[in-house]
Structures are given as C-alpha cells and as structure tokens.
Amino acid sequence: MCGDRTEVNGTNGTTATPTLGGKPLHQRSPYESVGDFLSNVNNFKIIESTLREGEQFANAFFDTETKIKIATALSDFGVEYIELTSPVASQQSREDCEAICKLGLKSKILTHVRCTMEDAKIACDTGVDGVDLVIGTSSFLREHSHGKDMLAIEKAAIEVIEYVKSRGVEVRFSSEDSFRSDLVDLLQLYRAVDRIGVNRVGVADTVGCATPRQVYDLVRTLRGVVSCDIEIHLHNDTGCAIANAHAALEAGATHIDTSVLGIGERNGITSLGGLMARMMVGSREYVMSRYKLHKIKEIEDMVADAVQINIPFNNPITGFCAFTHKAGIHAKAILANPSTYEILKPEDYGLNRYVHFASRLTGWNAIKSRVEQLGLSMTDAQVKEVTAKIKQMADIRPLAIDDTDSIIRSFHLELQQK
Amino acid sequence: MCGDRTEVNGTNGTTATPTLGGKPLHQRSPYESVGDFLSNVNNFKIIESTLREGEQFANAFFDTETKIKIATALSDFGVEYIELTSPVASQQSREDCEAICKLGLKSKILTHVRCTMEDAKIACDTGVDGVDLVIGTSSFLREHSHGKDMLAIEKAAIEVIEYVKSRGVEVRFSSEDSFRSDLVDLLQLYRAVDRIGVNRVGVADTVGCATPRQVYDLVRTLRGVVSCDIEIHLHNDTGCAIANAHAALEAGATHIDTSVLGIGERNGITSLGGLMARMMVGSREYVMSRYKLHKIKEIEDMVADAVQINIPFNNPITGFCAFTHKAGIHAKAILANPSTYEILKPEDYGLNRYVHFASRLTGWNAIKSRVEQLGLSMTDAQVKEVTAKIKQMADIRPLAIDDTDSIIRSFHLELQQK
C-alpha cells in the first residue's frame, strides 16, 4: 500500500551515504517530494468511470457497442477497475453491465448503486467483481435528497455491505459530498464499515469545492481511522480535480476515480489523461510499468467522438498545442535541450514536439532550425537577417508555415544570386 | 497583505464566545480553511497576461485593435494589472504597448522583458506603470539558454532593477523555472533584490511541474525571506495551475498571473475564469467586491474568437455543461435546493442552470418538473409511469428535449381520453 518509503540510511548495515528515494541526499532536488510512509504516489490504482460518471455527462449516450469498445480499450490501457452505470437505471443498463462482465477483460468490473438491498441484489446478480455503494451524508443531501439520519445510514450500510460480502463480491462504501458532511459523523460511519470488513471506503468531492489542503487533511485523518483501502472521487467545478487527486495520494488514498477527458456531471471529474500527466512527473517508472500511454490519444478520440465534443485545446498531453513552443527564447532552449521547457516528453505518448517559428515572437534559433530542415545553408548572420524579415512580416498579419518558408526560400535565392 | 487573520477570541475585552473567521467556532464547518496570518485568499491581485503569455499561445496573433479591445475589457472586468509582450519583440509590439499605455485604463500596465539594460530602457520608454523582469535560474536554462552563473545573474538583476526604479517605474524581478532552480541560490537572489527595494519578486513554474504542496512550501519559505510582494506564474502542463494558485495564496503570495482561458506557451497557465471559480468558493465577498463576474463569458468569447479556439466543454463556469444536471438523483435534489449539487451559482455569472431530463438516467422528479413547465397536470403515480416510458425510449436511442416532450404530451393526451 505504501510504495514510496523513506530510506534514511543504507539498508545493508554498513555506514552508507544517507539516501532518500534511492539517491544520495545531496543529489536530490530540494523540491522533490519526500517519500513518506503515507504516500501512494508510487502505488495507486485507477477506477475508470467513463461508463458510469461519464454517462452522466450532458452529451453522453453510449449504446452497447460503444460501451464494449470503450471498456475493452480501457482494459488494454491498463486501468485496474472499470465502473459501470447502475443496472437499476434502466433495462439496457442492466443488460450492458452483464455483457461487459462476460467479456473477460483484464480490468475488474464494478457497478455503482445506491446503498439499498434492492439495488445491491440486482448489482450482484449481474456478475460484477465489485459493487460500489454510495449514500449522501451532507446535511444538504440528508435534507433535500434521501432524508435519512446518520444512524439510519449506518444501519443500512452495514446490512448492505454484509449482503454484498456474503455474495463473494468486493464492496466499497462511499459517502457523497464528503467535504460538506459532518466530520465526526463521517469518521464514525467509515470506522463502522471498516470494522465489518468493507474492502474500500470512498471519499467524494461531489460538488468540486475542495482544495488540495482540504483533501490532504481529510484523507490523512481518515487514513488514521480505517485500515481498508481509500478511494477518492473528485469533481472539477473549480479546476482542482487533478491536483486534488495527487494530494489524496500523498495523504494515503489508494484508488483514484477518473473518466476519459474527465466527462461527468456538470464539468466532470479527474481526467484519466490529466492524472497520467500529473503522475508521470514524479512517478514515471510506476506509471510506465502499468499503463500503455501510447493509447491515450486513441481512447480520448474514441470517447470525444462518442459524446460529440472537441478535445479541449489545452487538454493535458493531447491538447493540440501541449508540445508546441513559440517564443524565441523558448524555441532556442528547446532546440538545445527539450527538458528546458518540457516536463513531459511527447514521445512517451507517441506524439511529436513542434517548434512554432512563424510569428513575431520567433527568434533566430528557431529560424535556423527551420533553415536546416529545409536543407538550405546560411551563416548565422544571414539567418538573423531573414529572421528580422519574418518578424516584420508577422507584425502585419498572421503567418502560416508556408509563408515563412517562402520568405526563407526567397531570401536564400537572393543570396545565391548575389 | 494578510486579510484573513484569525480571531481566537472576541476583541472587545469581554469573555466572548471563541470565534474564527467571524463565526462562533461551533458553527464553522471543520473543512473551512483556517484563516492564518500568511494567507492572502481574501486579499490578492491579478496580473492578467493574455496580451503577453497569451500571445505565446500557438494560435495567437493579436492586431492592435484586438489588443485594445481585450485590454479595455480586462480593465472593465477589474484586473489590477495587464501585462503586455516585450516592446523588444517587434516594432509593432512596441507601438501597441505605447498605445495601450495611453488609453488611461483603470488597470496598471506592465511589460515583460529580459533582465538586461537594453530591454529595460526600451520598456521604460513606452510609458508603462511597471516592468516585469525575468531571467532563467534553473541549471537547464543556465546551461542551454543564457549561460550565466548566479553571481552574474545577481549583478545584472541589481543593475537593471536600480535603473527601472530610477525611472520611477514599478519593478518586479522573477526567476524562470523556479521549481527546478537551486533553492539556496534562488533565496539568495531574491533576498538581494528585496534589499534594494524591488516591488515584487516572481516565482514561476515555467514547465508546469509543481504540485500544490511544492508551491506552498516554496512560497512559504520565500515569504520568510523577503518583505516585498510575491507574484506567482503557473503553467498548466499537468493540470494543476488553478490549484497551485490557491496554494500559493495560502502560503502568502500576493499576485497571481492569469490569462483568459489560460492561453499561453504549450497548454498555458492559470486561467482567469478558473481562478474566479476557485476563489468564489472560499472568498466570495472579496471576489464580488473587485471583479465584474458577469463579464467573464463575454471576455472569454472575445479571446476564443481572436485565437480561433472553442471554449473547452469543461471550462470552469462557462463550459457548456458547467451547470447541467443529469442523473435522476442529482436532478431531484437540485430541484429541491440547487446548493445540493452546486458549489457555484450560475446567476453570479449571468448564466443559467439546466436540468437534463431526456436520458435513461433521468428520474421522476426531473420529469415532474418538466411536466409542470409544460403546464400539464399529472399525479405522482402518472409521472412515474411516463418516466418509465421515457427511460425505455432513451435506452434505444439518444433523446432530444422534443422527443421527451412528445412522450409526455401523448401520455397526457391518453390520460385525458381515458
């Protein structure tokens, strides 16, 4: 559960150089996170909920064929769990859930139902590997949704969890809107279900209000109260769902809910690609060992197509300009060493880097690289001269690559003719 | 600088109930952030960089007219500062900078230049209120970009800062790629420029690698070293730029860099709208007192149009489904009280809420609300019956609102004819 342990000293009994995270202390960056006993940044599992939370996205309608295609792609990608819409939602939802269970995918199949005996029975009958139970615990939801008090919630939870366990099926119990629920009530409830052997408890920022520190604090507190796994489900209304997932792992969460492109209710949840981008920075080896990152673009395109949306221009990894460098000062350094302005490497995802040289912000290093790409030969002084011409033209109107290339070629021709 | 101070006791000398953030302790949510001496979540300023960082976005070409339109809109919105592309970048950049300075906007005008005397002189000559100096301090940039060592950087910084101050212009000094720079070198450099009276130091996550805890730790450390203001510039490569801005404010940063829709190099930086969404949750009064939130959609549309991109489907506040509720259980609660599943209120931004009822995830509460909107009269039992019909149809194909309305109307007609 805790893969990122601290080694304060060598473990071979000799008086070794002090190390941390496998490196001598003095070689580490002071900004590197200190691997601590709680952190699971190097040991987490993904609960992929495109086919549950994602189906709650305004534009989503997945027919059976699409669901099977998405589930298969996610399993091939390497997600540990795939969560499906409740079989109680509709007859087709139930049939699709049964069909996906029969595919024999590598990922475990979960379904997500209300915490009632009726729902739990139908869920277990579909053949899923696990059932995710959920109930609202905030005063808002207790008043305006189901109207139950905490004792009634605990009683219902225990009955349903014991039933699911009796069916030999993995079971998770989650509160809803955890960050607006009474903290003491919540901890009492989680402890009660942990004691009867629930596999996982879930914390949910259902409205997307939490900050990273709030997530860290709640998960850290919960980690001290329960011994089971901890799952976190984070909505993105205030743009913090990816950062909050990282904070939850640092505090000891074990499972992160994601959906492809983050689709879900309202603005959705932590996106699968966004989580990959975030975790690749600090946990590259772990991520590379489990997930087929080259497939991320294909999966995102598949889902975007199914729900008829465009990939956001600034989507992590696959946004059209994620690896495009424009300012002259950036281009110069990138051409010397891509790590200067890139924390992610496009080749890890089967993508390409692009140095944008057709603008007034360009510099002569970028143009020099383009001159070489075009197979032309110029001195640095000549490159600087043509760069000035390009910047002058780019001040007047937007330049396409063709335009820039024409300026370079005609300048080169002039040089030949001199 | 520190607007969110803790009151541990009443201040009137009597033995008052213990309070925190103006509320009796027992009435506060345990998740509410504790106002501390460092935090500026209720007292920050925005440095809006659409016309500088945003111009480095792959698609951006702003002509003079567009720049003036955007600057004017941002000033009307209420941002404290507007940052412009270096006048050294091109002749037109210089002329545009001079033109915007002459507009007499409420926002202060800044320009962003390399830390050299040549650049600084040209910058001061444009008539800006402030000059933002930047130099790369990471070993990557020192090796592959400008090649200077730290002593040379400090010497250049002091000379240029003193020059800008002598011109009576506000001055900021920022490192670049701060989170991959040597911490001790960085602190020494910041202390040196603070001592000679720089107005602001800047911390930059130029490659978008930082986590919220890393941002908190660095800003918190810096807060103990310098007495000037602290600005933070956060790239979004790993999707954490909004959360990191919040963490920086908690640690004592005073100024946040933003751009409209987050446009900038690669995947850009903290977005203006995203920052507003994040800060509205915990600092509603402060945000409402300074910024005209009803203008956010218009400004985003203007910039999206200028750089030819679509607003991302999941953009904070203005994404097309940011306030759309779909699942039956959500719809039921939202109809009773919108706060159940909304942390942001659409009316604060001049937008509307939408309850999506035309899907198989719908519930009878959502349909009941639609029946009422259509001016029809049905018992709850009848609404449940028509809901089942709608879910059945929605299992077969995607439903438009018209389809759902037709099912409701024909069912209602049948009832009349019975």
Side-chain angles (χ1 to χ4, degrees), chain A residues 31 176 214 265 327 341 360, chain B residues 31 55 176 214 265 327 341:
Chain A
Y31 305 100
E176 205 184 350
Q214 290 170 326
E265 283 280 351
Y341 285 103
R360 65 180 158 219
Chain B
Y31 305 99
E55 214 186 1
E176 205 185 349
Q214 289 171 327
E265 283 280 351
Y341 285 103

Side-chain angles (χ1 to χ4, degrees), chain A residues 284-336:
Chain A
R284 183 183 167 83
E285 278 176 41
Y286 180 77
V287 172
M288 301 276 281
S289 74
R290 296 187 84 90
Y291 308 113
K292 298 208 178 110
L293 298 175
H294 277 66
K295 291 185 181 285
I296 195 82
K297 185 164 181 351
E298 183 188 323
I299 294 174
E300 289 187 350
D301 286 344
M302 179 193 298
V303 172
D305 189 48
V307 301
Q308 296 174 290
I309 54 171
N310 295 307
I311 308 281
F313 75 92
N314 57 357
N315 203 50
I317 300 171
T318 58
F320 82 91
C321 49
F323 300 105
T324 297
H325 306 272
K326 184 168 173 186
I329 195 172
H330 285 218
K332 173 184 172 185
I334 276 284
L335 292 167

Side-chain angles (χ1 to χ4, degrees), chain A residues 94-220:
Chain A
R94 185 173 181 162
E95 286 167 22
D96 292 343
C97 182
E98 289 167 353
I100 291 171
C101 288
K102 289 193 188 112
L103 293 176
L105 299 176
K106 273 178 289 174
S107 310
K108 285 191 188 178
I109 307 300
L110 305 172
T111 189
H112 179 266
V113 297
R114 291 169 296 189
C115 189
T116 67
M117 286 299 282
E118 300 73 30
D119 281 21
K121 277 179 186 159
I122 296 172
C124 289
D125 288 344
T126 60
V128 290
D129 300 297
V131 173
D132 286 348
L133 302 172
V134 67
I135 196 159
T137 43
S138 76
S139 58
F140 288 102
L141 292 173
R142 280 153 64 189
E143 186 179 338
H144 299 290
S145 182
H146 55 68
K148 288 182 187 148
D149 69 14
M150 289 305 285
L151 270 180
I153 290 174
E154 183 175 323
K155 195 160 163 286
I158 288 176
E159 184 189 7
V160 180
I161 291 166
E162 290 192 326
Y163 169 76
V164 177
K165 278 167 60 80
S166 78
R167 294 283 305 264
V169 167
E170 193 174 312
V171 59
R172 178 213 72 182
F173 175 79
S174 182
S175 64
E176 205 184 350
D177 205 1
S178 317
F179 290 86
R180 297 193 300 174
S181 300
D182 184 279
L183 177 63
V184 182
D185 285 355
L186 208 57
L187 293 176
Q188 188 170 341
L189 185 59
Y190 284 132
R191 187 175 58 184
V193 298
D194 182 46
R195 281 186 175 156
I196 62 157
V198 79
N199 297 89
R200 242 177 8 261
V201 289
V203 170
D205 181 15
T206 306
V207 296
C209 65
T211 66
R213 282 175 102 188
Q214 290 170 326
V215 170
Y216 187 91
D217 289 349
L218 179 55
V219 174
R220 171 66 192 88

Side-chain angles (χ1 to χ4, degrees), chain A residues 1-5 33-36 38-45 245-254 278-280 282-287, chain B residues 211 213:
Chain A
M1 206 175 65
C2 302
D4 192 31
R5 290 170 197 276
S33 61
V34 175
D36 66 34
L38 282 174
S39 177
N40 284 319
V41 295
N42 284 309
N43 187 20
F44 58 91
K45 294 190 171 64
H246 190 268
L249 290 174
E250 288 183 307
T254 55
R278 177 64 267 169
M279 302 316 296
M280 274 292 274
S283 309
R284 183 183 167 83
E285 278 176 41
Y286 180 77
V287 172
Chain B
T211 66
R213 281 175 102 188

